[in-house]
Amino acid sequence: MPVRRNTILSAALGATLTAAVMLVSTSLPSTADRSAPRPKDTAAHNLGDPDYGVCRGTDPDCYHDWGNFDPANDGYRILVYSRTAGPRHAHLGPVLPAGLNPPLTAAHAAQSALVKLGADNGFAVDWTEDVTQLSSPSRLFRYNAVVFMSTTRDTLDDPAQTALRQYLRGGGGFVGIHNAFGTEYNWEWYEGLLGGANYYDHGRNQPGVVETVSRRDASTVGLPARWDFADEWYNLVPFPSKVRVLARVDEATLPDGARGGSGHPGHGRDHPVSWCQYYDGGRSWVTTLGHAVEAWTDAPMPGDEHFTRHVLGGIESAMGRSPFCR
């Protein structure tokens, strides 16, 4: 009997070992598979997740509904701020004189387009490049949203920085378009306002395909899942965090690729171009799009009607006229 029991145990053990060897051999790649080249991930990594010390993200509890705005009595009004303290985009035209609502010319394509957008959609638009118009929270509380339209570098002085921060903390709305990302580089609170993101570089202005990520937001309702557009396709450091991404560019559609002039390799399959968040009591909707003059004029350009709709929805949601950041 002992001999028979050992024989049975040996047979069972042998069968188990044979099955284990077969399992391992079928689960491991062959030598040929292991030696096959794998696609190289060239996207930028380790771009940070800074903590800006404020309530921010997609939770509406971060919003301060303190009664600073009464659209029932005052209607809706935005302030377009386009002051530059460095390179100036062509869509802004010549530098505007001091004061509120100085004369605009055809060369002031972006400002004129936003004024028309308001006129066509029932909200008032003021515009300025005079930093004193942003000198106090009380001035800014006249506006349901403040739009930074391709501002550049240190475009705010100390009183304006303080006023903008207090305005957001009081429930204000912020919209940052295109080179708003090239503004106030060394002010961490403003970087957080942009979604914890900042401009690093861009490649050639070129056509690409924008992918609509979330189609429930006011700025994306009715947009196609994919639409043609041309832009500089900003590369970012840091990468946006705690935000709701609304649209991104498909880097595979860029003829010259996403690599920027300072060596940024692009963001691979996740290259956002628009997003939203609640920030320090207020609302923030931002987009890196909007470089071309044609995007702001009646000149034909693929996707310009989708871009206009996108910006309109972003403004209306930031000022509280439409549901925000859905």
Side-chain angles (χ1 to χ4, degrees):
M1 292 299 293
V3 173
R4 178 173 175 76
R5 183 168 60 249
N6 289 342
T7 301
I8 294 173
L9 288 174
S10 298
L13 181 59
T16 301
L17 289 174
T18 301
V21 170
M22 290 178 65
L23 177 62
V24 171
S25 64
T26 56
S27 62
L28 288 176
S30 67
T31 303
D33 292 336
R34 289 197 300 269
S35 63
R38 296 184 178 182
K40 183 179 180 181
D41 182 3
T42 59
H45 295 285
N46 303 318
L47 298 182
D49 183 9
D51 180 4
Y52 297 93
V54 305
C55 185
R56 72 184 188 101
T58 58
D59 187 346
D61 282 347
C62 287
Y63 182 71
H64 295 165
D65 190 4
W66 291 349
N68 283 316
F69 307 94
D70 187 1
N73 292 328
D74 305 326
Y76 289 93
R77 180 179 295 271
I78 67 171
L79 177 65
V80 176
Y81 185 59
S82 55
R83 181 172 181 258
T84 53
R88 188 174 177 89
H89 276 71
H91 57 237
L92 295 182
V95 173
L96 291 171
L100 192 67
N101 300 341
L104 296 175
T105 70
H108 298 103
Q111 301 96 320
S112 298
L114 293 174
V115 171
K116 184 177 186 301
L117 204 62
D120 291 346
N121 292 278
F123 58 89
V125 180
D126 290 336
W127 62 93
T128 190
E129 293 185 3
D130 183 350
V131 69
T132 65
Q133 299 298 319
L134 286 71
S135 61
S136 69
S138 61
R139 281 181 178 267
L140 295 182
F141 279 131
R142 295 182 295 180
Y143 302 101
N144 304 91
V146 175
V147 179
F148 273 36
M149 181 64 243
S150 283
T151 46
T152 307
R153 305 286 173 81
D154 294 333
T155 191
L156 300 174
D157 59 14
D158 186 66
Q161 285 187 338
T162 302
L164 181 65
R165 184 164 52 191
Q166 297 301 78
Y167 167 73
L168 261 292
R169 286 176 171 173
F174 175 83
V175 173
I177 300 177
H178 199 52
N179 211 55
F181 284 85
T183 299
E184 299 292 334
Y185 282 114
N186 299 311
W187 184 21
E188 287 190 355
W189 182 89
Y190 181 82
E191 182 176 273
L193 180 62
L194 297 177
N198 224 326
Y199 166 82
Y200 182 77
D201 67 8
H202 63 76
R204 184 180 70 84
N205 182 44
Q206 59 185 310
V209 173
V210 177
E211 299 178 325
T212 305
V213 176
S214 171
R215 302 177 75 180
R216 296 182 62 239
D217 188 68
S219 67
T220 55
V221 168
L223 293 184
R226 293 169 63 86
W227 41 285
D228 294 332
F229 200 61
D231 217 287
E232 294 177 317
W233 313 113
Y234 281 6
N235 293 318
L236 307 165
V237 178
F239 191 80
S241 58
K242 300 181 182 179
V243 302
R244 175 164 287 115
V245 173
L246 303 170
R248 63 191 175 208
V249 60
D250 180 354
E251 287 190 0
T253 66
L254 304 181
D256 290 342
R259 179 171 291 276
S262 295
H264 194 302
H267 297 287
R269 296 180 179 178
D270 187 14
H271 191 145
V273 296
S274 303
W275 55 91
C276 56
Q277 63 164 343
Y278 294 95
Y279 185 77
D280 202 11
R283 307 181 186 98
S284 174
W285 185 95
V286 296
T287 182
T288 64
L289 302 178
H291 170 74
V293 173
E294 292 80 5
W296 301 101
T297 67
D298 293 332
M301 173 181 168
D304 57 357
E305 71 278 13
H306 304 313
F307 171 69
T308 300
R309 176 68 190 86
H310 190 45
V311 170
L312 172 62
I315 290 173
E316 290 192 322
S317 66
M319 65 183 181
R321 194 179 189 185
S322 300
F324 181 70
C325 207
R326 295 180 63 180

